[in-house]
Amino acid sequence: MIVVLFILLAITIIGTLAIRQSMVSLNIATNSQAQQLMMQNSDAATFNIEDTSNLVRSLARDGMFGFIKGAENKGKELVFCFRGSRAQFFTLSQASMIYLNNSDTIVNSDLGVNGFCRTGANTANFFTSERRAVITQVSVSFTNSTSSMPFQDSIRGTDEELSKIEKTERVVVNTTSLMPALTSVDTDEIDDCLDSHISNSSTNGVANCLAGLNVPYATHVTEYNLGQAFL
């Protein structure tokens, strides 16, 4: 009887360890798949930005780049949610602006709040695809000229006036993807990260906020030098 009990105890311990090891392996595989899926969605947003058919539209006065290219909007971030259910990649009517004012206070209401992604229960579809797994928020901003070195964004060896091109300017694009289903954090806290933090901030940005809440996310930061011929 004692031998049988020892055998049963050993089998129980081995079984428990096997189950625990399987759960750890499953969590590792799930985290890897989730990270890959979020990176793919961030890549998809970046590919849309670089698409030549979208680029011409983006440079228009109400486009993704054209709207914030003026001096009054330099340094401000134009934010929108990459929605798979939307026919157009970007529309100004579903975009928002966020920036720090002179008193270092966040301002996010200049264009309304329709551009910020929402993770809570809502009739609107803020997901990048019908799988409703990943939410991706995009922010676009031009470098403030006061913080740039003279001619640092210009094409080397090119005279802008003789070549008949506009002054080259640097634009920074942040794409942040997250999976709300993989976290138990309150949706209001996640939404606060998305609509009350600046992406380009290195200390209290969107990524810092999500990391502080232990929300799974992936962020891509891409810089472009934009110029345009005016023949």
Side-chain angles (χ1 to χ4, degrees), residues 197-210:
H197 292 75
I198 295 176
S199 296
N200 286 330
S201 174
S202 59
T203 56
N204 193 27
V206 174
N208 303 96
C209 183
L210 293 174

Side-chain angles (χ1 to χ4, degrees), residues 9 33 44 65 73 125 139 160 165 175 187 189 191 201 225:
L9 179 61
Q33 292 173 354
F65 298 137
N73 289 325
N125 180 10
S139 76
E160 293 168 347
I165 60 174
T175 54
T187 55
E189 293 186 74
D191 291 346
S201 174
N225 284 338

Side-chain angles (χ1 to χ4, degrees), residues 94-114:
Q94 291 184 316
S96 298
M97 190 91 77
I98 187 168
Y99 59 94
L100 284 171
N101 61 15
N102 294 332
S103 58
D104 288 337
T105 302
I106 291 287
V107 178
N108 62 2
S109 58
D110 283 8
L111 295 179
V113 294
N114 289 334

Side-chain angles (χ1 to χ4, degrees), residues 21-206:
Q21 181 63 36
S22 298
M23 292 181 65
V24 171
S25 299
L26 179 61
N27 287 335
I28 292 174
T30 300
N31 291 338
S32 177
Q33 292 173 354
Q35 192 67 23
Q36 184 176 16
L37 185 58
M38 289 186 292
M39 290 180 65
Q40 289 173 348
N41 279 268
S42 291
D43 280 339
T46 302
F47 293 154
N48 273 277
I49 292 170
E50 296 175 354
D51 191 311
T52 53
S53 59
N54 288 332
L55 184 58
V56 175
R57 182 68 186 85
S58 296
L59 293 170
R61 185 176 296 274
D62 61 344
M64 178 171 41
F65 298 137
F67 184 77
I68 57 170
K69 194 175 182 181
E72 68 278 6
N73 289 325
K74 287 290 175 65
K76 298 179 181 179
E77 291 185 4
L78 186 67
V79 179
F80 63 97
C81 196
F82 176 27
R83 307 187 195 186
S85 59
R86 186 170 55 199
Q88 291 179 302
F89 175 64
F90 171 84
T91 56
L92 189 59
S93 61
Q94 291 184 316
S96 298
M97 190 91 77
I98 187 168
Y99 59 94
L100 284 171
N101 61 15
N102 294 332
S103 58
D104 288 337
T105 302
I106 291 287
V107 178
N108 62 2
S109 58
D110 283 8
L111 295 179
V113 294
N114 289 334
F116 301 110
C117 293
R118 288 289 179 265
T119 58
N122 196 301
T123 54
N125 180 10
F126 290 96
F127 291 88
T128 58
S129 69
E130 292 301 324
R131 294 179 66 180
R132 302 180 73 87
V134 181
I135 287 176
T136 300
Q137 182 162 290
V138 183
S139 76
V140 183
S141 61
F142 278 87
T143 303
N144 194 328
S145 58
T146 58
S147 60
S148 303
M149 295 292 291
F151 307 110
Q152 75 172 34
D153 301 321
S154 299
I155 301 175
R156 186 180 297 275
T158 301
D159 187 305
E160 293 168 347
E161 293 194 9
L162 292 178
S163 302
K164 294 185 178 180
I165 60 174
E166 288 186 358
K167 179 181 177 182
T168 304
E169 296 183 88
R170 183 158 53 98
V171 62
V172 181
V173 178
N174 289 267
T175 54
T176 302
S177 296
L178 61 138
M179 300 184 71
L182 295 183
T183 179
S184 58
V185 177
D186 188 88
T187 55
D188 288 339
E189 293 186 74
I190 301 176
D191 291 346
D192 180 71
C193 290
L194 298 175
D195 65 22
S196 301
H197 292 75
I198 295 176
S199 296
N200 286 330
S201 174
S202 59
T203 56
N204 193 27
V206 174

